[in-house]
Amino acid sequence: MGTGKFITRFFTAILLVASATAAVAEAREDVPIAIAIHGGAGTIEKSNMTPEKERAYRAKLEEAVNAGYRVLEKGGESLDAVIAAINVLENSPLFNAGKGAVYTYEGTHELDASIMDGRDRQAGAVAGVKRIANPINLARMVMEDSPFVMLSGAGAEEFARSRGVAMVDNQSFDTEQRRKQLEKAKEKLERENKQDKDYQAAVDALPIRYKMGTVGAVALDKNGNLAAGTSTGGMTAKRYGRIGDAPVIGAGTFADNRSCAVSATGHGEYFIRYNVAADICARVQYQDKSIATAADEVINRVLKPIGGTGGVIVLDPAGQVSLVFNTKGMYRGSRTSTSPVRVAIFDDEG
Ligand code: GLY
């Protein structure tokens, strides 16, 4: 072969390899991956927050988004991304889940969580657990390693022990800030509810911050699978074994690859009664609505007029994200293959 021919063939081969590599990269970019998270909704106003506190919240939200996104970027499953993001929030004292959970009326912590797989609507949930550091992980174990969907209280902990999960002291969830919230909530409840006649009205009258702070995540992986998860300490001064929406599939958590993935935060009783997470996905699936329209309808037109405060994070199979709330703010964040990490707190942020 002459030198000229060799050079031509050499460069042709390089071009072929380069264009094949470009095609693979392009194909990868075509497959959307995405994650969105929340850390609770409520009366979050800039005037009530120090710059240090705001920075701490934003940093932790970003850490959670990135922890989940890293899983997706490496080709991991949406369920793993949801767990990775929620674990960051459960382990932080800033949020009402795991460490930092609110107190019950009796001064303890009772934690709820659930997770759902959009591939096949498999789901797992735990309610009222007192000694599990990361309830979202136990919810996943219920889904993958038991014939049940929801386990509660002592039974859920017995199941956890049987699967080798370490128990932690209930006091390990204590924080000073939540203790003060309990004291204030009890004073208010006792003042407005002297005869224990109308506990519901007294609870309704509590400021929103006593009812908020739940954490959650929704994710879409490279295989097109959606997942959603939610974890919470519930509502300050809850009693009588009260369970909120976070562990109720369809209310606080829902995922189905044919429609969307949703995690909710807010006044759980309303989210249970209005089956919020499933209703949003039903509007997407059966009425052909976008996730933004469906979430806006349920949060602002169904819940708001009847006093149901809170918000949702929603993700669709194309990687579109919608973060909708009817309160002054919602701790939130997202990252997708087409948009960088973003976190926000207040209602006037994009
Ligand atoms: N959304 C959490 C609760 O109501 O318990």
Side-chain angles (χ1 to χ4, degrees):
M1 195 191 302
T3 314
K5 225 175 199 178
F6 173 78
I7 290 173
T8 311
R9 282 200 184 160
F10 179 73
F11 282 110
T12 308
I14 286 182
L15 279 176
L16 282 175
V17 170
S19 63
T21 311
V24 169
E26 204 174 299
R28 277 206 199 111
E29 268 164 30
D30 280 352
V31 176
I33 55 171
I35 184 153
I37 63 157
H38 68 78
T43 42
I44 310 165
E45 289 184 64
K46 216 175 175 88
S47 54
N48 293 335
M49 200 180 265
T50 63
E52 296 74 47
K53 203 166 175 189
E54 187 181 330
R55 264 198 301 277
Y57 272 108
R58 288 183 191 276
K60 198 49 79 174
L61 290 170
E62 196 166 320
E63 185 186 331
V65 171
N66 286 335
Y69 195 81
R70 262 197 306 277
V71 172
L72 300 170
E73 218 172 17
K74 286 186 194 147
E77 291 197 354
S78 51
L79 285 170
D80 291 318
V82 162
I83 296 272
I86 291 182
N87 283 168
V88 169
L89 302 171
E90 284 179 333
N91 296 340
S92 164
L94 294 173
F95 303 94
N96 173 18
K99 175 81 186 161
V102 298
Y103 286 81
T104 63
Y105 195 85
E106 287 74 29
T108 61
H109 308 275
E110 294 175 1
L111 314 178
D112 308 328
S114 68
I115 193 161
M116 190 165 188
D117 186 340
R119 273 180 294 212
D120 49 9
R121 289 203 188 192
Q122 290 289 332
V126 292
V129 292
K130 297 180 180 166
R131 303 196 54 202
I132 306 295
N134 294 106
I136 194 70
N137 301 37
L138 186 58
R140 185 173 184 178
M141 277 184 198
V142 173
M143 174 172 76
E144 292 180 341
D145 196 18
S146 92
F148 311 115
V149 169
M150 188 191 286
L151 301 180
S152 69
E157 286 169 8
E158 192 184 327
F159 168 77
R161 255 186 236 105
S162 77
R163 299 300 190 270
V165 176
M167 298 291 124
V168 298
D169 283 344
N170 193 250
Q171 292 97 311
S172 66
F173 304 118
D174 286 356
T175 54
E176 198 43 39
Q177 177 210 354
R178 299 295 186 195
R179 163 83 60 196
K180 283 190 190 136
Q181 267 184 4
L182 173 66
E183 282 159 16
K184 282 196 193 139
K186 282 179 85 166
E187 266 169 36
K188 195 164 168 50
L189 284 172
E190 277 150 28
R191 209 170 40 241
E192 289 170 18
N193 182 34
K194 290 199 173 58
Q195 273 88 50
D196 196 26
K197 267 197 217 134
D198 193 357
Y199 183 72
Q200 179 60 43
V203 168
D204 276 348
L206 280 175
I208 296 178
R209 67 180 172 280
Y210 296 158
K211 305 172 204 162
M212 305 289 175
T214 296
V215 309
V218 289
L220 171 71
D221 65 31
K222 72 173 186 3
N223 297 316
N225 292 320
L226 290 166
T230 311
S231 182
T232 191
M235 192 188 281
T236 305
K238 64 184 182 181
R239 62 198 306 197
Y240 312 129
R242 179 262 186 194
I243 305 291
D245 60 313
V248 179
I249 297 300
T253 302
F254 195 78
D256 186 325
N257 284 356
R258 292 167 299 178
S259 52
C260 56
V262 180
S263 172
T265 172
H267 192 161
E269 280 67 13
Y270 291 86
F271 282 69
I272 294 173
R273 286 165 52 211
Y274 284 84
N275 199 33
V276 165
D279 188 8
I280 291 170
C281 292
R283 287 166 196 253
V284 171
Q285 188 171 354
Y286 304 123
Q287 298 181 333
D288 217 16
K289 291 186 170 147
S290 69
I291 52 168
T293 301
D296 177 60
E297 284 177 1
V298 175
I299 295 301
N300 288 316
R301 298 203 208 156
V302 176
L303 285 189
K304 197 172 175 185
I306 49 135
T309 45
V312 285
I313 52 171
V314 191
L315 184 57
D316 73 11
Q320 297 297 315
V321 174
S322 196
L323 314 173
V324 179
F325 49 100
N326 61 24
T327 50
K328 279 285 192 192
M330 179 167 83
Y331 296 104
R332 58 201 187 275
S334 66
R335 183 170 171 187
T336 76
S337 29
T338 54
S339 66
V341 59
R342 282 190 200 147
V343 299
I345 301 177
F346 309 109
D347 59 356
D348 57 0
E349 293 180 82

